[in-house]
Amino acid sequence: MKIAVATCNRADYSKLAPVLRGLKQDTTFQVSIVVMGSHLIDDYGNTYRFIERDGNQIDSMLHTLVRGETEGAMVESMGLAMIKLPDILNRLQPDLVMVHGDRFDAMSVAISAAVMNVRVLHLEGGEVSGTIDDVIRHSITKLAHYHICCTKGARLRIESMCEDSSRVLLAGCPAYDELIHTDVSKYHEAFERWLPNHVGTKNFIICVYHPVTTAIAESIQHFGLLLDALLHFDVRTVILFPNVDAGSKELVRCIRLRNLENHEKISCYKHVPFSEFVYLMGNCGLMIGNSSAGIRESNVFGTAVINIGTRQRGRQSGANVVHVKNPTSAEDLLWHIRSQFGKVYPRDYIYGDGRAVERIVKFIKEIDCDSPVEKSFNFDRNSSGLRAPSKASFGAEFPLSRQAHSLQLALAVDLGGSFIRVALVDDRGNIERMRRTEMVDCPDERIAIIVRMANDLLENKRDLVVGVGVSTGGRVNSETGEILFATKVLSGWGGVALKTRLQEQLGLPCYVENDGNCAALAEVHFGLHKMEDMVVLHFGTGIGGGIIQDGCLLNGSSYSAGEFGHIVVCFDDGPDCMCGNSGCVEAYAGGWALNKLAKEMELSSNWRKEGADDQKPVTPGQPNKPTYLTDLASDGVDYAVQHINRAVRAVASALLTIYSSYNPPVAILAGPLAPVYFDGVKNKLEERSAILGRNFTLLQSDMTEMSLKGAATLILNNPSRAVPQNAIV
């Protein structure tokens, strides 16, 4: 089989190099290397030399890059490449052309090969990173005949684009094959070359920042702020020049206006070979910028990372990455640099397990070059509305992923209607230590209590804690961490910038989410019912919930999705709710509503047991617990039975509304009051089986401490959130 491997820049070669070595070791393949783009430009390091240094023979060099570093120059470069590529493809006559990633040069190769009826294999498609890269990456996916991806999410995206699942391989990132086995303690040669006269590890910064082609002016502004922050921080720094995208000249100008190439503590390079760059990345105190290396590769070494702006948004990242979406000043970035610099995170292996190349080689061997070149698409869906899983994948998770390494800890905070709780939660959902106190009315006092309990828990554990996750009642802007609206249960909570205040006082990244959403996230990550599509209703002091769609949390346009407790089930004379409305399901079935009814019973004679004349004494204090009313209902006290039955009808009615609106295959009742309602609600729903259909299932969660565990997932499983760019510090 004749394979042409096209490489366009230093970044894609680092991923293609391990595959090239694997292919060349197998006599089945005749491999040709086509070099183009910025590899051949002196300003970008003439990086073709490093391809030759690796022992590779370059079969074709195509000067395709039109200088100017503008959007127009990128288009002209693509056109120039497509003028030259037909001659190369006619000469090499490959059975398969391999391209990588999301560069405009790679798209030129994919278009040319596809139009000339040459099979295209696309490496690392299906990912989401923002900017024009997404458009190019997904366009190459539609041109390619075969797909090799790194994560389960990427595979699902490729298949959702109607690609034939039998032609999709979940292999992992080829670079991980070398990263995982690299001993970065042997850094001395790399340091001598790229950090002369520098001794020690974790005391220097790597800065790699590229232009954002869809927001060039903003990215130039961000880069200027970043450079000013680095100058103020004043530690040894390695700056790599940006890539060739539109806007790169302006970024280089930012460097030269500050005379950084002559700064005594700053070293600027056009290129550092990946084989040596890993030693810098594995030993630096911080990597900052917007390079995919900070998202994809850094977690292998537990290196602290700050990702700036919208580039890389949506790409799955580890707990070592803090996202700063829109820095407004150098001081803003300086705060984050001080917070992250020198931290060491547990190693994580999100993008591979070190066996990608062997899988890729085996996959390519199975390609039938005698079959028709015409591409096939899969428009079929299974009974649940989802395309069948890929037959070519090796499994949903990598063996070395987060379940197999040393534990990470999150500081989890739960602000419920009755208590403030703070706990250390590990990445398996175990609560190591917890502090609890009663809720107070003053917002400032609440925050002071959280900080005090948190610092107590952080003693001797701070190095293991990667951030703070907060579960709170009310409507929460999960991007800014501000409480937008709170009911009377949490008086004075609306408008509090909780995320900012906790970050400033604890010095840790902080994410805030509604408590119902946290319950849903806990069920997804730690529960028995790990469904990709479900709704969760959590019954505690109030009633919250969350919607999980395609494995992700749905927040809604104004962060109100999943507020199931405020579904109105009675428009005429319904009980008043804490939200200010009346007839909400929470006003019937929430814990505070049962407390209210129990207190009313204490003041009346309605506690009499059905069919009995004897009076049952009321123990002082019991009406303050929701279980008091449910216990009386279990004993057959008529008034309590009536109200529990009414609550059951209200919950069933709300579930029918939810089903009609979202049509979930599964609904899960969770929380301390779920057992009170489950059987009754299930019976009510079975009476409406014709409405619900056969594919709906009602389940009960047996998980405890869901709010705390869900808060922990905001830190420990941050990439799984519905809109990853919302998880911004």
Side-chain angles (χ1 to χ4, degrees), residues 305-350:
V305 174
I306 298 174
N307 185 69
I308 299 172
T310 56
R311 196 173 191 266
Q312 309 305 336
R313 70 178 182 185
R315 200 187 287 276
Q316 190 170 345
S317 59
N320 63 314
V321 181
V322 170
H323 297 269
V324 184
K325 181 180 178 182
N326 187 25
T328 56
S329 65
E331 290 74 20
D332 182 18
L333 284 174
L334 188 60
W335 184 92
H336 294 295
I337 292 170
R338 286 171 176 156
S339 175
Q340 276 283 83
F341 183 71
K343 276 192 175 181
V344 179
Y345 290 85
R347 289 184 170 223
D348 208 349
Y349 305 93
I350 296 172

Side-chain angles (χ1 to χ4, degrees), residues 187-322:
Y187 59 82
H188 301 88
E189 186 176 339
F191 273 31
E192 186 176 337
R193 183 171 183 180
W194 304 106
L195 284 167
N197 304 317
H198 184 81
V199 179
T201 62
K202 299 301 176 185
N203 56 3
F204 65 95
I205 293 175
I206 297 175
C207 174
V208 188
Y209 189 92
H210 302 298
V212 179
T213 53
T214 52
I216 294 175
E218 183 182 62
S219 66
I220 295 169
Q221 179 187 17
H222 288 173
F223 189 51
L225 296 177
L226 169 57
L227 294 179
D228 291 341
L230 290 174
L231 283 169
H232 194 280
F233 194 61
D234 197 33
V235 302
R236 188 66 186 272
T237 301
V238 173
I239 298 177
L240 266 64
F241 275 52
N243 64 19
V244 74
D245 284 350
S248 64
K249 275 190 174 181
E250 287 79 3
L251 297 189
V252 172
R253 189 175 294 116
C254 287
I255 294 172
R256 288 177 173 159
L257 283 173
R258 292 165 176 79
N259 197 29
L260 298 185
E261 290 169 290
N262 297 313
H263 195 284
E264 61 178 355
K265 288 189 177 181
I266 295 177
S267 302
C268 300
Y269 299 109
K270 296 176 181 177
H271 173 67
V272 176
F274 188 74
S275 59
E276 298 175 0
F277 178 74
V278 294
Y279 289 97
L280 303 183
M281 181 168 55
N283 287 288
C284 69
L286 176 68
M287 187 170 179
I288 191 168
N290 61 8
S291 168
S292 62
I295 307 294
R296 297 172 54 96
E297 283 88 37
S298 65
N299 57 85
V300 173
F301 307 112
T303 299
V305 174
I306 298 174
N307 185 69
I308 299 172
T310 56
R311 196 173 191 266
Q312 309 305 336
R313 70 178 182 185
R315 200 187 287 276
Q316 190 170 345
S317 59
N320 63 314
V321 181
V322 170

Side-chain angles (χ1 to χ4, degrees), residues 164-202:
D164 186 345
S165 61
S166 67
R167 295 186 171 195
V168 182
L169 172 70
L170 173 54
C173 176
Y176 270 51
D177 289 24
E178 298 178 358
L179 286 175
I180 288 175
H181 304 294
T182 299
D183 181 1
V184 291
S185 66
K186 300 177 180 179
Y187 59 82
H188 301 88
E189 186 176 339
F191 273 31
E192 186 176 337
R193 183 171 183 180
W194 304 106
L195 284 167
N197 304 317
H198 184 81
V199 179
T201 62
K202 299 301 176 185

Side-chain angles (χ1 to χ4, degrees), residues 564-602:
F564 299 137
H566 302 291
I567 294 175
V568 176
V569 293
C570 178
F571 287 93
D572 298 320
D573 301 323
D576 292 336
C577 183
M578 290 284 191
C579 69
N581 208 343
S582 61
C584 299
V585 62
E586 184 176 297
Y588 289 94
W592 65 263
L594 299 189
N595 282 343
K596 182 180 177 182
L597 289 169
K599 290 176 182 178
E600 290 176 359
M601 286 182 63
E602 186 181 26

Side-chain angles (χ1 to χ4, degrees), residues 403-423:
Q403 295 300 321
H405 62 261
S406 58
L407 293 181
Q408 306 174 55
L409 293 177
L411 193 66
V413 179
D414 174 34
L415 288 145
S418 304
F419 297 98
I420 301 172
R421 298 183 302 159
V422 182

Side-chain angles (χ1 to χ4, degrees), residues 317-519:
S317 59
N320 63 314
V321 181
V322 170
H323 297 269
V324 184
K325 181 180 178 182
N326 187 25
T328 56
S329 65
E331 290 74 20
D332 182 18
L333 284 174
L334 188 60
W335 184 92
H336 294 295
I337 292 170
R338 286 171 176 156
S339 175
Q340 276 283 83
F341 183 71
K343 276 192 175 181
V344 179
Y345 290 85
R347 289 184 170 223
D348 208 349
Y349 305 93
I350 296 172
Y351 287 88
D353 65 347
R355 298 178 53 206
V357 171
E358 65 179 83
R359 295 187 184 102
I360 293 169
V361 170
K362 181 181 178 182
F363 181 74
I364 294 175
K365 273 187 175 182
E366 294 174 355
I367 294 175
D368 182 5
C369 293
D370 295 325
S371 63
V373 176
E374 184 176 354
K375 213 182 142 170
S376 61
F377 298 93
N378 177 17
F379 297 101
D380 296 329
R381 291 175 177 266
N382 60 29
S383 59
S384 67
L386 299 173
R387 261 175 284 279
S390 171
K391 298 175 183 177
S393 78
F394 64 89
E397 296 180 355
F398 296 107
L400 294 180
S401 67
R402 64 176 71 251
Q403 295 300 321
H405 62 261
S406 58
L407 293 181
Q408 306 174 55
L409 293 177
L411 193 66
V413 179
D414 174 34
L415 288 145
S418 304
F419 297 98
I420 301 172
R421 298 183 302 159
V422 182
L424 290 177
V425 183
D426 69 28
D427 56 6
R428 293 180 174 88
N430 301 314
I431 295 177
E432 288 201 358
R433 300 163 63 189
M434 183 170 68
R435 299 288 183 270
R436 186 181 84 161
T437 188
E438 291 188 355
M439 179 57 68
V440 295
D441 291 333
C442 176
D444 290 337
E445 191 177 349
R446 288 175 198 153
I447 293 173
I449 289 171
I450 292 170
V451 172
R452 186 167 60 249
M453 291 195 293
N455 284 327
D456 180 39
L457 291 172
L458 286 171
E459 189 174 355
N460 302 322
K461 291 281 187 176
R462 183 173 285 272
D463 290 343
L464 298 176
V465 174
V466 295
V468 184
V470 181
S471 165
T472 179
R475 184 156 57 93
V476 179
N477 182 328
S478 55
E479 184 171 344
T480 64
E482 180 183 356
I483 314 299
L484 301 176
F485 172 80
T487 66
K488 296 175 185 177
V489 174
L490 288 170
S491 61
W493 210 223
V496 174
L498 186 57
K499 174 179 179 174
T500 300
R501 294 183 64 175
L502 288 180
Q503 278 183 176
E504 289 174 350
Q505 296 190 51
L506 293 174
L508 289 167
C510 178
Y511 307 117
V512 185
E513 187 58 88
N514 168 267
D515 51 5
N517 287 337
C518 284

Side-chain angles (χ1 to χ4, degrees), residues 1-3 28-31 95-96 364-367 369:
M1 183 188 297
K2 293 195 287 185
I3 302 175
T28 306
F29 306 112
Q30 179 182 332
V31 181
D95 299 301
L96 183 73
I364 294 175
K365 273 187 175 182
E366 294 174 355
I367 294 175
C369 293

